[in-house]
Amino acid sequence: MPTNLAEKRTAARGAGRTARGGAGPRVSFEFFPPKTDKAGASLEEAIRGLAPLAPQFMTVTYGAGGSTQSVTRQWVDRVAELGGTPVGHHLTCVGATRAEIDALARSLWNDGIRHIVALRGDPPQGTTRYEPHPDGYAFAADLVEGLRRVADFEISVGAYPEVHPEAASAAADMDNLKRKLDAGATRAITQYFFDVETFLRFRDRAHAAGITKEIVPGIIPVTNIESLIRFSEACGATVPRWLTDLFDGLQEDPETRQMIAASVAIEQCTRLQAEGADSFHFYTLNRANVTRAVCHALGVRASADKVAA
């Protein structure tokens, strides 16, 4: 048995290389519900572009306070139809009673949806502080427990290599992650990050805390650095100076931005693979080209049956 963090990292590297028999890593893709018909058409194009890569699953996000509930459900069904792959429905604690969430979960199960991404959720628009519903699930660990009582779902939860912005401390954030996994979650998927060492240190601390379930790195291929900076300020992710410098002066050059985005993500994933990471969850931003290029470089190629279909 490995006795220290360095030995554990070495063991993880070996496990990652052997588990897939030399094939590319497992991948999964996240989409968000579109707001217009044009955006919907673009999303369908992205789904068709990524489905041939035979992902482990795809997921569709859920708006603050359940604001996209019906649209999320619509697109979960559409992704399943177009992609022919398992689809995860995001679900949050915000703005609903336990009975309402349980009823939705039973409906999802009865319609063949077996995977839920269980999150606490962000405060509804117009508010800045999360307040649990008085009759709802207070936090994600409670939601996981509730879902386990409804049905035998596959459940993914969130993890934060740079610490959740509302956590009291890194230790408290890790304790919360362990509670979610101990409550019955299948895996954790991380918030995106750009410093590989940040993820590795986080994974080391998770192992030291007794977490043994899979922690999947979340990867975001960056094509719009300005939007990324704005979003990252809200979610607590660090955008390093070297990354912003790479995009300097490319505001009117989308093709070059895409090439740089692919290059950064490929390097990031390759380094993570070398450290034993064997799964990647891509925040696609409802676009296929860059994510597909990254997957290709990692050895994830279109399956013959998907291409034929």
Side-chain angles (χ1 to χ4, degrees):
M1 291 289 291
T3 57
N4 57 48
L5 293 180
E7 290 177 359
K8 287 179 180 179
R9 286 192 182 183
T10 301
R13 286 194 291 270
R17 283 192 293 267
T18 59
R20 299 285 288 166
R26 292 182 297 268
V27 295
S28 55
F29 306 124
E30 181 171 301
F31 306 105
F32 60 85
K35 295 182 179 180
T36 66
D37 290 343
K38 182 178 179 180
S42 295
L43 175 51
E44 290 192 355
E45 182 180 352
I47 295 164
R48 291 190 181 96
L50 293 170
L53 301 180
Q56 187 178 11
F57 54 84
M58 300 182 181
T59 73
V60 182
T61 65
Y62 196 69
S67 59
T68 67
Q69 179 175 316
S70 62
V71 184
T72 295
R73 179 62 179 276
Q74 170 191 334
W75 279 96
V76 165
D77 293 340
R78 189 65 174 143
V79 169
E81 178 185 354
L82 291 174
T85 192
V87 184
H89 187 297
H90 285 225
L91 194 57
T92 72
C93 302
V94 179
T97 67
R98 292 186 180 213
E100 290 168 337
I101 291 174
D102 291 353
L104 174 57
R106 279 191 293 270
S107 174
L108 295 173
W109 181 267
N110 291 338
D111 287 345
I113 298 167
R114 300 291 185 259
H115 183 187
I116 289 179
V117 181
L119 306 165
R120 188 205 72 178
D122 296 324
Q125 289 186 351
T127 64
T128 57
R129 186 165 178 260
Y130 171 74
E131 292 288 349
H133 191 289
D135 296 317
Y137 292 110
F139 298 102
D142 306 310
L143 177 57
V144 172
E145 288 182 351
L147 293 172
R148 279 276 168 250
R149 289 191 292 268
V150 170
D152 188 23
F153 286 105
E154 176 181 357
I155 302 175
S156 299
V157 294
Y160 301 87
E162 297 182 84
V163 183
H164 190 284
E166 297 178 33
S169 66
D173 198 34
M174 187 63 70
D175 288 343
N176 187 51
L177 174 59
K178 191 170 190 306
R179 279 194 296 271
K180 291 187 287 188
L181 294 168
D182 289 348
T186 309
R187 70 178 64 80
I189 299 172
T190 76
Q191 173 65 273
Y192 64 82
F193 58 92
F194 297 101
D195 182 350
V196 170
E197 279 298 319
T198 295
F199 173 82
L200 297 178
R201 289 192 296 268
F202 174 76
R203 189 179 65 178
D204 289 344
R205 291 194 297 108
H207 291 167
I211 291 172
T212 58
K213 292 183 179 177
E214 184 181 28
I215 300 176
V216 180
I219 305 296
I220 186 167
V222 181
T223 56
N224 187 321
I225 193 69
E226 291 82 10
S227 294
L228 178 75
I229 291 171
R230 288 194 299 270
F231 186 74
S232 298
E233 288 174 352
C235 70
T238 298
V239 180
R241 177 63 181 270
W242 61 261
L243 183 61
T244 60
D245 286 347
L246 285 175
F247 288 93
D248 187 36
L250 297 178
Q251 290 83 351
E252 306 301 324
D253 190 348
E255 291 185 2
T256 303
R257 290 204 307 269
Q258 288 190 9
M259 287 188 285
I260 290 176
S263 176
V264 169
I266 289 167
E267 181 178 358
Q268 185 180 22
C269 291
T270 300
R271 289 186 60 198
L272 289 165
Q273 274 189 303
E275 294 290 347
D278 194 42
S279 299
F280 299 100
H281 184 72
F282 288 93
Y283 299 103
T284 69
L285 303 179
N286 291 6
R287 301 183 184 93
N289 289 352
V290 178
T291 296
R292 189 180 178 91
V294 176
C295 289
H296 184 90
L298 296 176
V300 180
R301 308 294 167 82
S303 62
D305 59 330
K306 290 281 188 177
V307 172

